[in-house]
Short mmCIF file of all heavy atoms in Angstrom, two decimals:
data_model
loop_
_atom_site.label_atom_id
_atom_site.label_comp_id
_atom_site.label_asym_id
_atom_site.label_seq_id
_atom_site.Cartn_x
_atom_site.Cartn_y
_atom_site.Cartn_z
N VAL A 105 164.97 62.67 -3.23
CA VAL A 105 165.89 63.31 -4.18
C VAL A 105 167.07 62.37 -4.37
O VAL A 105 167.80 62.10 -3.41
CB VAL A 105 166.34 64.68 -3.67
CG1 VAL A 105 167.32 65.31 -4.66
CG2 VAL A 105 165.14 65.59 -3.45
N SER A 106 167.23 61.83 -5.55
CA SER A 106 168.25 60.79 -5.69
C SER A 106 169.49 61.31 -6.39
O SER A 106 169.49 62.36 -7.03
CB SER A 106 167.68 59.57 -6.41
OG SER A 106 166.82 59.95 -7.44
N ALA A 107 170.55 60.57 -6.25
CA ALA A 107 171.84 61.00 -6.81
C ALA A 107 172.73 59.80 -7.06
O ALA A 107 172.73 58.83 -6.30
CB ALA A 107 172.55 61.95 -5.84
N CYS A 108 173.53 59.89 -8.12
CA CYS A 108 174.57 58.88 -8.31
C CYS A 108 175.65 59.12 -7.26
O CYS A 108 175.60 60.10 -6.56
CB CYS A 108 175.15 58.96 -9.72
SG CYS A 108 176.24 60.37 -10.00
N ILE A 109 176.63 58.26 -7.19
CA ILE A 109 177.61 58.37 -6.11
C ILE A 109 178.48 59.62 -6.24
O ILE A 109 179.01 60.13 -5.26
CB ILE A 109 178.44 57.07 -6.00
CG1 ILE A 109 179.28 57.05 -4.73
CG2 ILE A 109 179.34 56.89 -7.22
CD1 ILE A 109 178.48 57.00 -3.47
N GLY A 110 178.61 60.12 -7.45
CA GLY A 110 179.29 61.40 -7.65
C GLY A 110 180.73 61.42 -7.17
O GLY A 110 181.40 60.38 -7.11
N SER A 111 181.17 62.61 -6.83
CA SER A 111 182.60 62.76 -6.52
C SER A 111 182.99 62.13 -5.19
O SER A 111 184.14 62.18 -4.79
CB SER A 111 183.01 64.23 -6.55
OG SER A 111 182.48 64.89 -5.42
N ASN A 112 182.03 61.50 -4.50
CA ASN A 112 182.41 60.72 -3.31
C ASN A 112 183.36 59.60 -3.71
O ASN A 112 184.24 59.23 -2.96
CB ASN A 112 181.18 60.09 -2.66
CG ASN A 112 180.24 61.12 -2.10
OD1 ASN A 112 180.58 61.79 -1.13
ND2 ASN A 112 179.09 61.29 -2.71
N THR A 113 183.11 59.03 -4.89
CA THR A 113 183.86 57.86 -5.34
C THR A 113 184.23 57.91 -6.81
O THR A 113 185.32 57.52 -7.19
CB THR A 113 182.99 56.58 -5.14
OG1 THR A 113 182.59 56.53 -3.78
CG2 THR A 113 183.78 55.33 -5.48
N CYS A 114 183.33 58.38 -7.62
CA CYS A 114 183.47 58.24 -9.07
C CYS A 114 184.48 59.22 -9.66
O CYS A 114 184.40 60.41 -9.41
CB CYS A 114 182.11 58.45 -9.72
SG CYS A 114 182.19 58.38 -11.53
N PRO A 115 185.42 58.70 -10.46
CA PRO A 115 186.44 59.59 -11.05
C PRO A 115 185.87 60.55 -12.10
O PRO A 115 186.49 61.56 -12.39
CB PRO A 115 187.44 58.62 -11.68
CG PRO A 115 186.68 57.36 -11.91
CD PRO A 115 185.66 57.30 -10.82
N PHE A 116 184.72 60.22 -12.67
CA PHE A 116 184.18 61.08 -13.73
C PHE A 116 183.37 62.25 -13.19
O PHE A 116 183.12 63.22 -13.90
CB PHE A 116 183.27 60.27 -14.67
CG PHE A 116 183.94 59.07 -15.27
CD1 PHE A 116 183.35 57.82 -15.20
CD2 PHE A 116 185.16 59.20 -15.92
CE1 PHE A 116 183.98 56.71 -15.76
CE2 PHE A 116 185.79 58.10 -16.48
CZ PHE A 116 185.20 56.85 -16.40
N ALA A 117 182.93 62.14 -11.93
CA ALA A 117 181.99 63.12 -11.40
C ALA A 117 182.60 64.51 -11.32
O ALA A 117 183.76 64.67 -11.00
CB ALA A 117 181.53 62.69 -10.02
N ASN A 118 181.77 65.51 -11.59
CA ASN A 118 182.25 66.89 -11.53
C ASN A 118 181.84 67.62 -10.26
O ASN A 118 182.17 68.79 -10.10
CB ASN A 118 181.75 67.66 -12.75
CG ASN A 118 182.54 67.27 -14.00
OD1 ASN A 118 183.76 67.18 -13.96
ND2 ASN A 118 181.85 67.01 -15.10
N TYR A 119 181.09 66.95 -9.37
CA TYR A 119 180.73 67.61 -8.10
C TYR A 119 180.21 66.56 -7.13
O TYR A 119 180.00 65.40 -7.49
CB TYR A 119 179.68 68.71 -8.33
CG TYR A 119 178.31 68.17 -8.74
CD1 TYR A 119 177.24 68.14 -7.84
CD2 TYR A 119 178.11 67.68 -10.03
CE1 TYR A 119 176.00 67.65 -8.21
CE2 TYR A 119 176.88 67.18 -10.41
CZ TYR A 119 175.83 67.17 -9.50
OH TYR A 119 174.61 66.67 -9.88
N ASN A 120 179.99 67.01 -5.90
CA ASN A 120 179.46 66.10 -4.90
C ASN A 120 177.94 66.05 -5.02
O ASN A 120 177.22 66.91 -4.50
CB ASN A 120 179.89 66.54 -3.50
CG ASN A 120 179.60 65.47 -2.48
OD1 ASN A 120 178.49 64.91 -2.47
ND2 ASN A 120 180.56 65.16 -1.65
N THR A 121 177.46 65.03 -5.70
CA THR A 121 176.04 64.89 -6.01
C THR A 121 175.19 64.73 -4.74
O THR A 121 174.10 65.27 -4.65
CB THR A 121 175.83 63.65 -6.89
OG1 THR A 121 176.56 62.57 -6.30
CG2 THR A 121 176.34 63.87 -8.30
N THR A 122 175.72 63.98 -3.78
CA THR A 122 174.94 63.76 -2.55
C THR A 122 174.73 65.05 -1.79
O THR A 122 173.63 65.31 -1.28
CB THR A 122 175.65 62.77 -1.60
OG1 THR A 122 176.87 62.35 -2.18
CG2 THR A 122 174.80 61.60 -1.29
N ASP A 123 175.77 65.85 -1.70
CA ASP A 123 175.63 67.12 -0.99
C ASP A 123 174.57 68.00 -1.62
O ASP A 123 173.73 68.58 -0.92
CB ASP A 123 176.98 67.88 -0.97
CG ASP A 123 177.97 67.28 0.01
OD1 ASP A 123 177.58 66.31 0.72
OD2 ASP A 123 179.12 67.75 0.06
N PHE A 124 174.62 68.08 -2.95
CA PHE A 124 173.64 68.93 -3.64
C PHE A 124 172.23 68.33 -3.49
O PHE A 124 171.25 69.04 -3.25
CB PHE A 124 174.03 69.09 -5.12
CG PHE A 124 173.38 70.25 -5.83
CD1 PHE A 124 173.81 70.63 -7.10
CD2 PHE A 124 172.36 71.00 -5.25
CE1 PHE A 124 173.23 71.71 -7.78
CE2 PHE A 124 171.77 72.08 -5.92
CZ PHE A 124 172.20 72.42 -7.18
N ALA A 125 172.13 67.01 -3.56
CA ALA A 125 170.82 66.36 -3.42
C ALA A 125 170.22 66.64 -2.05
O ALA A 125 169.04 66.92 -1.90
CB ALA A 125 170.96 64.85 -3.65
N LYS A 126 171.07 66.57 -1.02
CA LYS A 126 170.58 66.82 0.34
C LYS A 126 170.13 68.26 0.50
O LYS A 126 169.14 68.55 1.18
CB LYS A 126 171.68 66.50 1.35
CG LYS A 126 171.86 65.01 1.56
CD LYS A 126 172.96 64.76 2.55
CE LYS A 126 172.95 63.31 3.01
NZ LYS A 126 174.18 62.96 3.70
N LYS A 127 170.89 69.14 -0.14
CA LYS A 127 170.53 70.55 -0.08
C LYS A 127 169.17 70.76 -0.74
O LYS A 127 168.31 71.48 -0.23
CB LYS A 127 171.61 71.35 -0.84
CG LYS A 127 171.63 72.81 -0.55
CD LYS A 127 172.94 73.37 -1.08
CE LYS A 127 173.15 74.77 -0.57
NZ LYS A 127 174.48 75.27 -0.95
N MET A 128 168.97 70.12 -1.88
CA MET A 128 167.71 70.23 -2.60
C MET A 128 166.56 69.66 -1.76
O MET A 128 165.50 70.28 -1.63
CB MET A 128 167.81 69.51 -3.96
CG MET A 128 166.58 69.61 -4.83
SD MET A 128 166.17 71.30 -5.30
CE MET A 128 167.24 71.56 -6.72
N GLU A 129 166.79 68.49 -1.18
CA GLU A 129 165.78 67.86 -0.32
C GLU A 129 165.35 68.83 0.78
O GLU A 129 164.16 69.00 1.04
CB GLU A 129 166.37 66.57 0.27
CG GLU A 129 165.62 65.98 1.47
CD GLU A 129 164.54 64.97 1.11
OE1 GLU A 129 164.44 64.60 -0.06
OE2 GLU A 129 163.78 64.57 2.02
N LYS A 130 166.32 69.49 1.40
CA LYS A 130 166.03 70.47 2.46
C LYS A 130 165.13 71.58 1.94
O LYS A 130 164.28 72.10 2.66
CB LYS A 130 167.36 71.10 2.94
CG LYS A 130 168.05 70.27 4.00
CD LYS A 130 167.56 70.70 5.37
CE LYS A 130 168.03 69.73 6.43
NZ LYS A 130 167.04 69.58 7.51
N GLU A 131 165.34 71.97 0.68
CA GLU A 131 164.59 73.09 0.12
C GLU A 131 163.17 72.71 -0.27
O GLU A 131 162.27 73.53 -0.19
CB GLU A 131 165.30 73.62 -1.15
CG GLU A 131 166.67 74.25 -0.89
CD GLU A 131 166.57 75.66 -0.32
OE1 GLU A 131 165.46 76.24 -0.34
OE2 GLU A 131 167.59 76.17 0.17
N ILE A 132 162.96 71.48 -0.72
CA ILE A 132 161.66 71.16 -1.33
C ILE A 132 160.79 70.17 -0.55
O ILE A 132 159.62 70.04 -0.83
CB ILE A 132 161.83 70.64 -2.78
CG1 ILE A 132 162.65 69.35 -2.82
CG2 ILE A 132 162.47 71.72 -3.66
CD1 ILE A 132 162.77 68.75 -4.22
N PHE A 133 161.35 69.49 0.42
CA PHE A 133 160.56 68.50 1.17
C PHE A 133 160.25 69.05 2.57
O PHE A 133 161.12 69.70 3.16
CB PHE A 133 161.34 67.18 1.28
CG PHE A 133 160.51 66.08 1.87
CD1 PHE A 133 159.60 65.39 1.09
CD2 PHE A 133 160.62 65.76 3.24
CE1 PHE A 133 158.82 64.38 1.66
CE2 PHE A 133 159.84 64.76 3.79
CZ PHE A 133 158.94 64.07 3.01
N PRO A 134 159.11 68.82 3.13
CA PRO A 134 157.99 68.03 2.60
C PRO A 134 157.09 68.84 1.69
O PRO A 134 156.89 70.02 1.91
CB PRO A 134 157.25 67.64 3.87
CG PRO A 134 157.52 68.75 4.84
CD PRO A 134 158.89 69.26 4.52
N ASN A 135 156.53 68.16 0.69
CA ASN A 135 155.54 68.78 -0.18
C ASN A 135 154.73 67.66 -0.82
O ASN A 135 155.28 66.63 -1.18
CB ASN A 135 156.25 69.63 -1.24
CG ASN A 135 155.27 70.58 -1.91
OD1 ASN A 135 154.26 70.16 -2.48
ND2 ASN A 135 155.58 71.86 -1.81
N ASP A 136 153.42 67.90 -0.95
CA ASP A 136 152.57 66.85 -1.51
C ASP A 136 152.64 66.77 -3.03
O ASP A 136 152.17 65.81 -3.63
CB ASP A 136 151.12 67.07 -1.09
CG ASP A 136 150.94 66.84 0.41
OD1 ASP A 136 151.76 66.07 0.97
OD2 ASP A 136 150.03 67.44 1.01
N LEU A 137 153.19 67.80 -3.65
CA LEU A 137 153.24 67.77 -5.11
C LEU A 137 154.28 66.76 -5.57
O LEU A 137 155.36 66.62 -4.98
CB LEU A 137 153.55 69.16 -5.66
CG LEU A 137 152.43 70.18 -5.41
CD1 LEU A 137 152.86 71.56 -5.87
CD2 LEU A 137 151.13 69.75 -6.08
N HIS A 138 153.91 66.09 -6.68
CA HIS A 138 154.73 65.00 -7.18
C HIS A 138 155.88 65.56 -8.01
O HIS A 138 155.72 65.93 -9.16
CB HIS A 138 153.82 64.10 -8.04
CG HIS A 138 154.43 62.80 -8.41
ND1 HIS A 138 153.68 61.72 -8.81
CD2 HIS A 138 155.69 62.37 -8.42
CE1 HIS A 138 154.46 60.70 -9.08
NE2 HIS A 138 155.71 61.10 -8.85
#
Side-chain angles (χ1 to χ4, degrees):
Chain A
V105 179
S106 39
C108 73
I109 191 65
S111 72
N112 295 292
T113 305
C114 177
F116 304 128
N118 285 315
Y119 68 105
N120 192 313
T121 47
T122 0
D123 285 357
F124 198 170
K126 284 179 167 166
K127 197 166 192 174
M128 182 62 83
E129 164 91 7
K130 275 270 169 214
E131 294 283 347
I132 61 176
F133 188 80
N135 196 302
D136 292 334
L137 294 175
H138 191 160

